[in-house]
Amino acid sequence: MQKKKNRIIRMSDIETEQVRWLWYPFIPYGKVTIIQGDPGEGKTSFVLAMIALLTTGKPLPEETEAAEPISVIYQSAEDGLADTIKPRLEASGADCSRVLVIDESDKELNLCDERLEQSVQETGARLIVLDPLQAYLGDNVDMHRANEVRPIFKRLCAMADRTGCAIILIGHMNKAQGLKSSYRGLGSIDFRAAARSVLLVGRLKSDPAVRIVAHDKSSLAPEGEFIAFSLDAENGFQWIGYCDVSVDDVLSGTGSVQTKTAQIEDELRKMLIKSVPAEEVFRRAAELGISERTVNIA
């Protein structure tokens, strides 16, 4: 019997493609992004506020321009659609006609479910959110076993690549303290390995209403700046902006927040008591680690 030859692909035959971004450098199109944090830290609120901006065509935090409004498929296994998700979307100003849900009343979804790809093709949705990740692994899958997790994520990543749709998986973290952020996610570390971007959400003990989004892994671009938002019963959700903290600050709840916009605003007040060349302003901003884009916003 003649042995079948291997199919060999030459790199010279592959057409180079640029990575496309839903939100640079945090969420790439055609890839999987994980957003994780302890329960109650604001992960879902952060994602719903982001969906509100995406579905209405408004600029994302610290951005000056917005893309066309997009449709989003949002699946939640923990919160009710009528009494929790929709009211929160409406409070954030989302266009609810662009927020779509796959009916799971007859059959629950999982990460390998063909209905995900079918729904993207039928609706043109550009983002899928599954909240929480652990609820969509499928029956009899041990999330701590790499050999069980890896093939599921491989199929999910392939679907994202075929459709060009961004996929966000919202995940809880384990209770272990003192570990590196790489080992705080629930389940196998293969979750983190498969994702092209990982964001951590946590709150500061010094001001429990303030939450931080930290870019903990970025395989396709330099890690983005940390973003702060506030969340409390009186004022609801409010974006704060870029800030200076560390991943350790987010995990431990220590540190304090001054946004980079506020920081450069203070500098501008000091500098602009007289005429100053723009180059000098941008040079001072660079010394503080502040981008020209943030200077322009300020």
Side-chain angles (χ1 to χ4, degrees):
M1 182 176 179
Q2 188 176 6
K3 187 176 180 180
K4 187 177 180 179
K5 291 184 177 181
N6 291 330
R7 180 171 176 260
I8 304 298
I9 300 173
R10 296 181 186 276
M11 291 299 295
S12 57
D13 295 333
I14 296 177
E15 186 175 346
T16 302
E17 297 179 354
Q18 296 293 321
V19 177
R20 292 170 296 118
W21 295 91
L22 175 67
W23 184 9
Y24 181 86
F26 305 105
I27 304 172
Y29 275 122
K31 311 293 180 183
V32 174
T33 296
I34 292 177
I35 298 176
Q36 60 187 18
D38 292 327
E41 296 294 75
K43 302 182 297 297
T44 298
S45 296
F46 164 68
V47 172
L48 292 178
M50 181 177 62
I51 288 174
L53 299 177
L54 293 171
T55 57
T56 55
K58 295 178 181 177
L60 290 160
E62 299 289 354
E63 298 286 340
T64 56
E65 298 180 0
E68 289 295 316
I70 66 170
S71 294
V72 177
I73 295 173
Y74 187 93
Q75 303 296 136
S76 175
E78 292 186 337
D79 296 311
L81 299 179
D83 60 11
T84 304
I85 299 300
K86 184 176 180 181
R88 290 165 76 176
L89 285 168
E90 289 177 330
S92 296
D95 180 352
C96 289
S97 69
R98 290 185 174 273
V99 184
L100 316 170
V101 181
I102 301 170
D103 190 347
E104 298 186 61
S105 56
D106 293 331
K107 181 183 178 183
E108 293 182 348
L109 277 170
N110 61 64
L111 297 184
C112 296
D113 200 309
E114 63 183 11
R115 288 177 292 171
L116 291 172
E117 185 165 352
Q118 288 174 354
S119 297
V120 170
Q121 293 170 344
E122 291 170 3
T123 66
R126 303 292 286 133
L127 170 63
I128 295 174
V129 179
L130 299 173
D131 182 10
L133 155 64
Q134 290 80 3
Y136 292 96
L137 284 175
D139 296 335
N140 304 316
V141 175
D142 187 338
M143 63 185 296
H144 299 281
R145 292 183 177 274
N147 63 319
E148 296 185 23
V149 169
R150 195 174 293 125
I152 292 173
F153 261 69
K154 185 175 181 179
R155 291 180 62 181
L156 182 68
C157 293
M159 186 273 283
D161 183 61
R162 285 194 302 272
T163 61
C165 187
I167 297 178
I168 290 177
L169 305 176
I170 300 178
H172 299 315
M173 301 185 77
N174 62 48
K175 297 180 180 179
Q177 300 296 320
L179 294 180
K180 291 177 61 177
S181 57
S182 307
Y183 298 96
R184 286 291 314 279
L186 275 180
S188 170
I189 198 171
D190 278 61
F191 290 140
R192 178 186 174 89
R196 298 298 82 197
S197 180
V198 177
L199 305 176
L200 300 180
V201 180
R203 76 175 77 197
L204 297 180
K205 294 176 182 176
S206 59
D207 188 347
V210 174
R211 319 297 170 89
I212 307 297
V213 182
H215 205 182
D216 190 41
K217 175 187 174 180
S218 182
S219 299
L220 303 174
E223 292 177 1
E225 297 182 72
F226 292 13
I227 297 171
F229 64 90
S230 62
L231 184 63
D232 58 42
E234 182 177 349
N235 300 305
F237 185 102
Q238 293 184 326
W239 296 106
I240 296 177
Y242 288 144
C243 61
D244 274 319
V245 290
S246 68
V247 172
D248 288 339
D249 289 336
V250 176
L251 291 175
S252 65
T254 58
S256 59
V257 169
Q258 181 187 33
T259 67
K260 297 214 168 183
T261 303
Q263 187 179 5
I264 194 61
E265 284 175 351
D266 289 342
E267 288 295 318
L268 288 172
R269 291 187 186 97
K270 297 174 185 176
M271 296 179 72
L272 299 183
I273 56 175
K274 61 180 180 179
S275 297
V276 175
E279 293 79 5
E280 185 175 335
V281 172
F282 288 127
R283 183 167 56 252
R284 176 57 180 155
E287 292 173 355
L288 297 171
I290 297 173
S291 68
E292 291 190 11
R293 179 180 59 184
T294 302
V295 175
N296 291 328
I297 291 171

Coordinates of all heavy atoms in Angstrom, one line a residue, residues 76-164:
S76 N -25.1 34.9 28.0 CA -24.8 34.9 29.5 C -25.5 33.7 30.1 O -26.7 33.5 29.9 CB -25.4 36.2 30.1 OG -25.3 36.2 31.5
A77 N -24.7 33.0 30.9 CA -25.2 31.8 31.6 C -25.5 32.1 33.1 O -26.0 31.2 33.8 CB -24.2 30.6 31.5
E78 N -25.2 33.3 33.5 CA -25.3 33.7 34.9 C -26.4 34.7 35.2 O -27.1 34.7 36.2 CB -24.0 34.2 35.5 CG -22.9 33.1 35.5 CD -21.7 33.6 36.2 OE1 -21.4 34.8 36.3 OE2 -20.9 32.7 36.7
D79 N -26.6 35.6 34.2 CA -27.6 36.7 34.5 C -28.8 36.6 33.5 O -28.7 36.2 32.4 CB -26.9 38.1 34.2 CG -25.8 38.3 35.2 OD1 -26.0 38.2 36.4 OD2 -24.7 38.7 34.8
G80 N -30.0 37.0 34.1 CA -31.2 37.0 33.3 C -31.2 38.1 32.2 O -30.7 39.2 32.5
L81 N -31.7 37.8 31.0 CA -31.7 38.8 29.9 C -32.7 39.9 30.2 O -32.3 41.1 30.0 CB -32.1 38.1 28.6 CG -31.2 37.0 28.1 CD1 -31.7 36.4 26.8 CD2 -29.8 37.5 27.9
A82 N -33.9 39.6 30.7 CA -34.9 40.6 30.9 C -34.7 41.5 32.1 O -35.0 42.7 32.1 CB -36.3 39.9 31.0
D83 N -34.2 40.8 33.2 CA -34.1 41.6 34.5 C -32.7 42.1 34.8 O -32.5 42.9 35.7 CB -34.6 40.8 35.7 CG -33.8 39.5 35.9 OD1 -32.8 39.3 35.3 OD2 -34.3 38.7 36.7
T84 N -31.7 41.7 34.1 CA -30.3 42.1 34.4 C -29.6 42.7 33.1 O -29.2 43.8 33.1 CB -29.5 41.0 35.0 OG1 -30.2 40.5 36.1 CG2 -28.1 41.4 35.4
I85 N -29.5 41.8 32.1 CA -28.6 42.2 31.0 C -29.3 43.4 30.2 O -28.6 44.4 30.0 CB -28.4 41.0 30.0 CG1 -27.7 39.9 30.7 CG2 -27.6 41.5 28.8 CD1 -26.3 40.3 31.3
K86 N -30.5 43.3 29.8 CA -31.1 44.4 29.0 C -31.2 45.7 29.8 O -30.8 46.8 29.3 CB -32.5 44.0 28.6 CG -33.1 45.1 27.7 CD -34.5 44.8 27.1 CE -35.0 45.9 26.2 NZ -36.3 45.6 25.6
P87 N -31.6 45.7 31.1 CA -31.6 47.0 31.9 C -30.2 47.6 31.9 O -30.0 48.8 31.8 CB -32.1 46.6 33.2 CG -33.0 45.4 33.0 CD -32.3 44.7 31.9
R88 N -29.2 46.8 32.1 CA -27.8 47.3 32.1 C -27.4 47.9 30.8 O -26.6 48.9 30.7 CB -26.8 46.3 32.7 CG -27.1 46.0 34.1 CD -26.4 44.7 34.6 NE -25.0 44.8 34.8 CZ -24.2 43.8 35.3 NH1 -24.7 42.7 35.6 NH2 -22.9 44.0 35.4
L89 N -27.8 47.2 29.7 CA -27.4 47.7 28.4 C -28.1 49.0 28.1 O -27.5 50.0 27.6 CB -27.9 46.7 27.3 CG -27.0 45.5 27.1 CD1 -27.7 44.4 26.3 CD2 -25.6 45.8 26.5
E90 N -29.4 49.1 28.5 CA -30.2 50.4 28.3 C -29.6 51.5 29.2 O -29.4 52.6 28.7 CB -31.6 50.1 28.7 CG -32.4 49.3 27.7 CD -33.8 49.0 28.1 OE1 -34.1 49.0 29.3 OE2 -34.7 48.8 27.2
A91 N -29.1 51.2 30.4 CA -28.5 52.2 31.2 C -27.2 52.7 30.6 O -26.8 53.9 30.9 CB -28.3 51.6 32.6
S92 N -26.5 51.8 29.9 CA -25.3 52.2 29.2 C -25.5 52.9 27.9 O -24.5 53.4 27.3 CB -24.4 51.0 29.0 OG -24.0 50.4 30.2
G93 N -26.7 52.9 27.4 CA -27.0 53.6 26.2 C -26.8 52.8 25.0 O -26.6 53.3 23.8
A94 N -26.8 51.4 25.1 CA -26.6 50.5 24.0 C -27.8 50.6 23.0 O -28.9 50.8 23.4 CB -26.4 49.1 24.5
D95 N -27.5 50.2 21.7 CA -28.5 50.0 20.7 C -28.9 48.5 20.9 O -28.2 47.7 20.3 CB -28.0 50.3 19.4 CG -29.1 50.1 18.3 OD1 -30.2 49.5 18.6 OD2 -28.8 50.4 17.1
C96 N -30.0 48.2 21.6 CA -30.3 46.8 21.9 C -30.7 46.1 20.6 O -30.7 44.8 20.7 CB -31.4 46.8 22.9 SG -30.8 47.2 24.6
S97 N -31.1 46.8 19.6 CA -31.4 46.0 18.3 C -30.2 45.4 17.7 O -30.3 44.5 16.9 CB -32.1 47.0 17.3 OG -31.1 48.0 16.8
R98 N -29.0 45.8 18.1 CA -27.8 45.3 17.6 C -27.1 44.3 18.6 O -26.1 43.8 18.3 CB -26.8 46.4 17.3 CG -27.1 47.3 16.1 CD -26.0 48.3 15.8 NE -26.3 49.0 14.6 CZ -25.9 48.6 13.4 NH1 -25.3 47.5 13.2 NH2 -26.2 49.4 12.3
V99 N -27.8 44.0 19.7 CA -27.3 43.0 20.7 C -28.2 41.8 20.5 O -29.4 41.8 20.8 CB -27.4 43.5 22.1 CG1 -26.7 42.5 23.1 CG2 -26.6 44.9 22.2
L100 N -27.5 40.7 20.1 CA -28.2 39.5 19.7 C -27.9 38.3 20.6 O -26.9 38.3 21.2 CB -27.8 39.1 18.2 CG -27.7 40.3 17.2 CD1 -27.1 39.8 15.9 CD2 -29.1 40.9 17.0
V101 N -28.9 37.5 20.8 CA -28.8 36.3 21.7 C -29.2 35.0 21.0 O -30.3 35.0 20.4 CB -29.6 36.5 23.0 CG1 -29.4 35.3 23.9 CG2 -29.2 37.8 23.7
I102 N -28.4 34.0 21.0 CA -28.8 32.7 20.4 C -29.6 32.0 21.5 O -29.3 31.9 22.6 CB -27.5 31.9 20.1 CG1 -26.6 32.6 19.1 CG2 -27.9 30.5 19.6 CD1 -25.3 31.9 18.9
D103 N -30.8 31.6 21.0 CA -31.8 30.9 21.9 C -31.2 29.6 22.4 O -30.9 28.7 21.6 CB -33.1 30.7 21.2 CG -34.2 30.2 22.1 OD1 -33.9 29.8 23.3 OD2 -35.4 30.3 21.7
E104 N -31.0 29.4 23.7 CA -30.5 28.2 24.3 C -31.6 27.4 25.0 O -31.2 26.5 25.8 CB -29.4 28.5 25.3 CG -28.2 29.2 24.6 CD -27.0 29.3 25.6 OE1 -26.5 28.3 26.1 OE2 -26.7 30.5 26.0
S105 N -32.8 27.7 24.8 CA -33.9 27.1 25.5 C -34.0 25.6 25.2 O -34.4 24.8 26.1 CB -35.2 27.7 25.3 OG -35.5 27.8 23.9
D106 N -33.7 25.2 24.0 CA -33.8 23.8 23.6 C -32.4 23.0 23.8 O -32.4 21.9 24.1 CB -34.2 23.6 22.2 CG -35.7 24.1 21.9 OD1 -36.4 23.9 22.9 OD2 -36.0 24.5 20.8
K107 N -31.4 23.8 23.6 CA -30.0 23.2 23.7 C -29.0 24.2 24.1 O -28.9 25.3 23.5 CB -29.6 22.5 22.3 CG -28.3 21.9 22.3 CD -27.9 21.4 21.0 CE -26.5 20.7 20.9 NZ -26.1 20.3 19.6
E108 N -28.3 23.9 25.1 CA -27.3 24.9 25.6 C -26.1 24.9 24.6 O -25.7 24.0 24.0 CB -26.8 24.5 27.0 CG -27.8 24.6 28.1 CD -27.3 24.2 29.5 OE1 -26.1 23.7 29.5 OE2 -28.0 24.5 30.5
L109 N -25.5 26.1 24.5 CA -24.4 26.4 23.7 C -23.1 25.8 24.3 O -23.0 25.7 25.5 CB -24.2 27.8 23.4 CG -25.0 28.5 22.3 CD1 -24.8 30.0 22.4 CD2 -24.6 28.0 20.9
N110 N -22.1 25.6 23.5 CA -20.7 25.3 24.0 C -19.8 25.9 23.0 O -20.2 26.4 21.9 CB -20.5 23.8 24.2 CG -20.6 23.0 22.9 OD1 -19.9 23.2 22.0 ND2 -21.6 22.1 22.9
L111 N -18.5 25.9 23.3 CA -17.5 26.6 22.5 C -17.3 26.0 21.1 O -16.9 26.7 20.2 CB -16.1 26.6 23.2 CG -16.1 27.3 24.6 CD1 -14.6 27.3 25.1 CD2 -16.5 28.8 24.5
C112 N -17.7 24.8 20.9 CA -17.6 24.1 19.6 C -18.9 24.1 18.9 O -19.0 23.5 17.8 CB -17.1 22.7 19.8 SG -15.4 22.6 20.5
D113 N -19.9 24.8 19.4 CA -21.3 24.7 18.8 C -21.3 25.4 17.4 O -20.9 26.5 17.3 CB -22.3 25.4 19.7 CG -23.7 25.0 19.5 OD1 -24.1 25.1 18.3 OD2 -24.4 24.6 20.5
E114 N -21.8 24.7 16.4 CA -21.9 25.2 15.1 C -22.8 26.4 15.0 O -22.7 27.2 14.0 CB -22.3 24.1 14.1 CG -23.7 23.6 14.3 CD -24.1 22.5 13.4 OE1 -23.1 21.9 12.7 OE2 -25.2 22.1 13.3
R115 N -23.7 26.6 15.9 CA -24.6 27.7 15.9 C -23.9 29.1 16.0 O -24.4 30.1 15.6 CB -25.7 27.6 17.0 CG -26.7 26.5 16.7 CD -27.7 26.4 17.9 NE -27.0 25.8 19.1 CZ -27.6 25.8 20.3 NH1 -28.8 26.2 20.4 NH2 -27.0 25.2 21.3
L116 N -22.7 29.1 16.7 CA -21.9 30.3 16.8 C -21.6 30.8 15.4 O -21.8 32.0 15.1 CB -20.7 30.1 17.7 CG -20.9 29.8 19.2 CD1 -19.6 29.4 19.8 CD2 -21.5 31.1 19.8
E117 N -21.0 30.0 14.6 CA -20.5 30.4 13.3 C -21.7 30.7 12.4 O -21.7 31.7 11.6 CB -19.7 29.3 12.6 CG -19.1 29.7 11.3 CD -17.9 28.9 10.8 OE1 -17.5 28.0 11.6 OE2 -17.5 29.1 9.7
Q118 N -22.8 29.9 12.5 CA -24.0 30.1 11.7 C -24.6 31.5 12.0 O -25.0 32.2 11.1 CB -25.0 29.0 12.0 CG -24.6 27.7 11.4 CD -25.6 26.6 11.8 OE1 -26.5 26.8 12.6 NE2 -25.5 25.4 11.2
S119 N -24.6 31.8 13.3 CA -25.2 33.1 13.7 C -24.4 34.3 13.2 O -24.9 35.3 12.8 CB -25.4 33.1 15.2 OG -26.2 32.1 15.7
V120 N -23.1 34.1 13.2 CA -22.2 35.2 12.7 C -22.5 35.4 11.2 O -22.6 36.5 10.7 CB -20.7 34.9 12.9 CG1 -19.8 35.8 12.1 CG2 -20.4 34.9 14.4
Q121 N -22.6 34.3 10.4 CA -22.9 34.4 9.0 C -24.2 35.0 8.7 O -24.4 35.7 7.8 CB -22.7 33.0 8.4 CG -21.3 32.4 8.4 CD -21.2 31.0 8.0 OE1 -22.2 30.2 8.0 NE2 -20.0 30.5 7.7
E122 N -25.2 34.6 9.5 CA -26.6 35.1 9.3 C -26.8 36.5 9.7 O -27.6 37.2 9.1 CB -27.6 34.2 10.1 CG -27.7 32.8 9.5 CD -28.5 31.9 10.5 OE1 -29.0 32.4 11.5 OE2 -28.6 30.7 10.2
T123 N -26.1 37.0 10.7 CA -26.4 38.3 11.2 C -25.3 39.4 10.9 O -25.5 40.6 11.0 CB -26.5 38.3 12.8 OG1 -25.2 37.9 13.3 CG2 -27.6 37.3 13.2
G124 N -24.1 38.9 10.5 CA -23.0 39.8 10.3 C -22.4 40.3 11.6 O -21.7 41.4 11.5
A125 N -22.7 39.7 12.7 CA -22.1 40.1 14.0 C -20.6 40.2 13.9 O -20.0 39.3 13.3 CB -22.6 39.2 15.1
R126 N -20.0 41.1 14.6 CA -18.5 41.3 14.5 C -17.9 40.9 15.8 O -16.6 40.9 16.0 CB -18.1 42.7 14.2 CG -18.7 43.2 12.8 CD -18.1 42.5 11.7 NE -16.8 43.0 11.4 CZ -15.7 42.2 11.2 NH1 -15.8 40.9 11.3 NH2 -14.5 42.7 11.0
L127 N -18.7 40.6 16.9 CA -18.2 40.3 18.2 C -19.1 39.3 18.8 O -20.3 39.4 18.8 CB -18.1 41.5 19.1 CG -17.8 41.3 20.6 CD1 -16.4 40.7 20.8 CD2 -17.9 42.6 21.3
I128 N -18.5 38.2 19.4 CA -19.2 37.3 20.3 C -18.7 37.3 21.7 O -17.5 37.4 21.9 CB -19.0 35.8 19.7 CG1 -19.6 35.6 18.3 CG2 -19.6 34.8 20.7 CD1 -19.3 34.3 17.7
V129 N -19.6 37.4 22.6 CA -19.2 37.4 24.1 C -19.9 36.2 24.7 O -21.1 36.0 24.6 CB -19.6 38.7 24.8 CG1 -19.2 38.7 26.2 CG2 -19.0 39.9 24.1
L130 N -19.1 35.4 25.4 CA -19.6 34.3 26.2 C -19.2 34.5 27.6 O -18.0 34.6 28.0 CB -18.9 33.0 25.7 CG -19.2 32.6 24.2 CD1 -18.4 31.4 23.8 CD2 -20.7 32.4 24.0
D131 N -20.2 34.5 28.5 CA -20.1 34.9 29.9 C -20.8 34.0 30.8 O -22.1 34.0 30.8 CB -20.6 36.4 30.0 CG -20.4 36.9 31.4 OD1 -19.8 36.3 32.3 OD2 -21.0 38.0 31.7
P132 N -20.1 33.2 31.6 CA -18.7 33.1 31.8 C -18.2 31.9 30.9 O -18.9 31.0 30.5 CB -18.5 32.8 33.2 CG -19.7 31.9 33.6 CD -20.8 32.5 32.7
L133 N -16.9 32.0 30.7 CA -16.2 30.9 29.9 C -16.5 29.5 30.4 O -16.8 28.6 29.6 CB -14.7 31.2 29.9 CG -13.7 30.0 29.7 CD1 -13.9 29.5 28.3 CD2 -12.3 30.5 29.9
Q134 N -16.5 29.3 31.7 CA -16.6 28.0 32.3 C -17.9 27.3 32.0 O -18.0 26.1 31.9 CB -16.4 28.1 33.8 CG -15.0 28.4 34.3 CD -14.6 29.9 34.2 OE1 -15.5 30.7 33.9 NE2 -13.4 30.2 34.5
A135 N -19.0 28.2 31.7 CA -20.3 27.6 31.5 C -20.4 27.1 30.0 O -21.4 26.4 29.7 CB -21.3 28.7 31.7
Y136 N -19.5 27.4 29.2 CA -19.6 27.1 27.7 C -18.6 26.1 27.3 O -18.4 25.9 26.1 CB -19.5 28.4 26.9 CG -20.8 29.2 27.1 CD1 -20.7 30.3 28.0 CD2 -21.9 29.0 26.5 CE1 -21.8 31.1 28.2 CE2 -23.1 29.7 26.7 CZ -23.0 30.8 27.6 OH -24.1 31.5 27.8
L137 N -17.9 25.4 28.2 CA -16.9 24.4 27.8 C -17.6 23.1 27.3 O -17.0 22.4 26.5 CB -16.1 24.0 29.0 CG -15.0 25.0 29.4 CD1 -14.3 24.6 30.7 CD2 -14.0 25.2 28.3
G138 N -18.8 22.8 27.7 CA -19.5 21.6 27.2 C -19.5 20.6 28.3 O -18.7 20.6 29.3
D139 N -20.4 19.6 28.2 CA -20.5 18.5 29.2 C -19.3 17.7 29.2 O -18.6 17.4 28.2 CB -21.7 17.7 28.8 CG -23.0 18.4 28.9 OD1 -23.0 19.4 29.7 OD2 -24.0 18.0 28.3
N140 N -18.9 17.2 30.4 CA -17.9 16.2 30.6 C -16.5 16.7 30.2 O -15.6 15.9 29.9 CB -18.2 14.9 29.9 CG -19.5 14.3 30.3 OD1 -19.9 14.3 31.5 ND2 -20.3 13.9 29.3
V141 N -16.3 18.1 30.2 CA -15.0 18.6 29.9 C -14.3 19.1 31.2 O -14.9 19.9 31.9 CB -15.0 19.8 28.9 CG1 -13.7 20.4 28.7 CG2 -15.6 19.3 27.6
D142 N -13.2 18.5 31.5 CA -12.5 19.0 32.7 C -11.6 20.2 32.4 O -10.6 20.0 31.7 CB -11.6 17.8 33.3 CG -11.0 18.1 34.6 OD1 -10.8 19.3 34.9 OD2 -10.6 17.2 35.3
M143 N -12.0 21.3 32.9 CA -11.3 22.6 32.5 C -9.8 22.6 33.0 O -9.1 23.5 32.6 CB -12.1 23.8 33.1 CG -12.1 23.8 34.6 SD -13.2 25.2 35.2 CE -12.3 26.6 34.6
H144 N -9.5 21.7 33.9 CA -8.1 21.7 34.4 C -7.2 20.7 33.6 O -6.0 20.7 33.9 CB -8.1 21.2 35.9 CG -8.9 22.1 36.8 ND1 -8.4 23.3 37.3 CD2 -10.2 22.0 37.3 CE1 -9.3 23.9 38.0 NE2 -10.4 23.1 38.1
R145 N -7.7 20.0 32.7 CA -6.9 19.1 31.8 C -6.6 19.7 30.5 O -7.5 20.0 29.7 CB -7.7 17.8 31.7 CG -7.8 17.0 33.0 CD -8.5 15.6 32.7 NE -8.5 14.8 33.9 CZ -7.6 14.0 34.3 NH1 -6.5 13.9 33.6 NH2 -7.7 13.3 35.4
A146 N -5.4 19.9 30.2 CA -4.9 20.6 29.0 C -5.4 19.8 27.8 O -5.7 20.3 26.8 CB -3.4 20.8 29.0
N147 N -5.3 18.4 27.9 CA -5.6 17.6 26.7 C -7.1 17.7 26.3 O -7.5 17.4 25.2 CB -5.2 16.2 27.0 CG -6.0 15.5 28.1 OD1 -6.2 16.2 29.1 ND2 -6.4 14.3 27.9
E148 N -8.0 18.1 27.3 CA -9.4 18.3 27.0 C -9.7 19.7 26.6 O -10.6 19.9 25.7 CB -10.2 17.9 28.2 CG -10.1 16.4 28.6 CD -11.0 16.1 29.7 OE1 -12.0 16.8 29.9 OE2 -10.8 15.1 30.4
V149 N -9.0 20.7 27.1 CA -9.2 22.1 26.8 C -8.6 22.5 25.4 O -9.3 23.2 24.7 CB -8.6 23.0 27.9 CG1 -8.6 24.4 27.5 CG2 -9.4 22.8 29.2
R150 N -7.5 21.9 25.1 CA -6.7 22.4 23.9 C -7.5 22.2 22.6 O -7.6 23.1 21.8 CB -5.4 21.7 23.9 CG -4.4 22.3 22.9 CD -3.0 21.7 23.0 NE -2.4 22.0 24.3 CZ -2.0 21.0 25.1 NH1 -2.1 19.8 24.8 NH2 -1.4 21.4 26.3
P151 N -8.1 21.0 22.4 CA -8.8 20.8 21.1 C -10.0 21.7 21.0 O -10.4 22.1 19.9 CB -9.2 19.3 21.1 CG -9.0 18.9 22.5 CD -8.0 19.7 23.1
I152 N -10.7 22.0 22.1 CA -11.9 22.9 22.1 C -11.5 24.3 21.7 O -12.1 24.9 20.8 CB -12.5 22.9 23.5 CG1 -13.2 21.5 23.7 CG2 -13.6 24.0 23.5 CD1 -13.7 21.3 25.2
F153 N -10.4 24.8 22.3 CA -9.9 26.1 22.0 C -9.4 26.2 20.5 O -9.5 27.2 19.9 CB -8.9 26.6 23.0 CG -9.4 27.4 24.0 CD1 -10.3 26.9 25.0 CD2 -9.1 28.8 24.1 CE1 -10.8 27.7 26.0 CE2 -9.7 29.6 25.0 CZ -10.5 29.1 26.0
K154 N -8.8 25.1 20.1 CA -8.3 25.1 18.7 C -9.4 25.3 17.7 O -9.3 26.0 16.7 CB -7.6 23.8 18.4 CG -6.9 23.7 17.0 CD -6.1 22.5 16.9 CE -5.4 22.4 15.5 NZ -4.6 21.2 15.3
R155 N -10.5 24.6 17.9 CA -11.7 24.8 17.1 C -12.3 26.1 17.2 O -12.7 26.7 16.2 CB -12.8 23.7 17.4 CG -12.3 22.3 17.1 CD -13.4 21.3 17.4 NE -14.6 21.5 16.7 CZ -15.7 20.7 16.9 NH1 -15.7 19.7 17.7 NH2 -16.8 21.0 16.2
L156 N -12.4 26.7 18.4 CA -12.9 28.0 18.6 C -12.0 29.1 17.8 O -12.6 30.0 17.2 CB -13.0 28.4 20.1 CG -13.6 29.7 20.4 CD1 -15.1 29.8 20.1 CD2 -13.4 30.0 21.9
C157 N -10.7 29.0 18.0 CA -9.8 29.9 17.3 C -9.9 29.8 15.8 O -9.9 30.8 15.1 CB -8.4 29.6 17.8 SG -8.1 30.0 19.5
A158 N -10.1 28.6 15.3 CA -10.3 28.4 13.9 C -11.6 29.1 13.4 O -11.6 29.7 12.3 CB -10.3 26.9 13.5
M159 N -12.6 29.0 14.2 CA -13.9 29.6 13.8 C -13.7 31.1 13.8 O -14.2 31.8 12.9 CB -15.0 29.2 14.8 CG -16.4 29.7 14.4 SD -16.7 31.4 15.0 CE -17.1 31.0 16.7
A160 N -13.0 31.7 14.8 CA -12.8 33.1 14.8 C -12.0 33.6 13.6 O -12.3 34.6 13.0 CB -12.0 33.5 16.1
D161 N -11.0 32.8 13.2 CA -10.2 33.1 12.0 C -11.0 33.1 10.8 O -10.9 33.9 9.9 CB -9.0 32.1 12.0 CG -8.1 32.5 10.8 OD1 -7.5 33.6 10.8 OD2 -7.9 31.6 9.9
R162 N -11.9 32.0 10.6 CA -12.7 31.9 9.4 C -13.7 33.1 9.2 O -13.8 33.6 8.1 CB -13.5 30.6 9.4 CG -12.7 29.4 9.1 CD -13.6 28.2 8.8 NE -14.5 27.9 9.9 CZ -14.2 27.1 10.9 NH1 -13.1 26.5 11.0 NH2 -15.1 26.9 11.9
T163 N -14.3 33.5 10.3 CA -15.3 34.5 10.2 C -14.8 35.9 10.4 O -15.5 36.9 10.0 CB -16.4 34.2 11.4 OG1 -15.7 34.4 12.6 CG2 -17.0 32.9 11.2
G164 N -13.6 36.0 11.0 CA -13.0 37.4 11.2 C -13.7 38.0 12.4 O -13.5 39.2 12.7

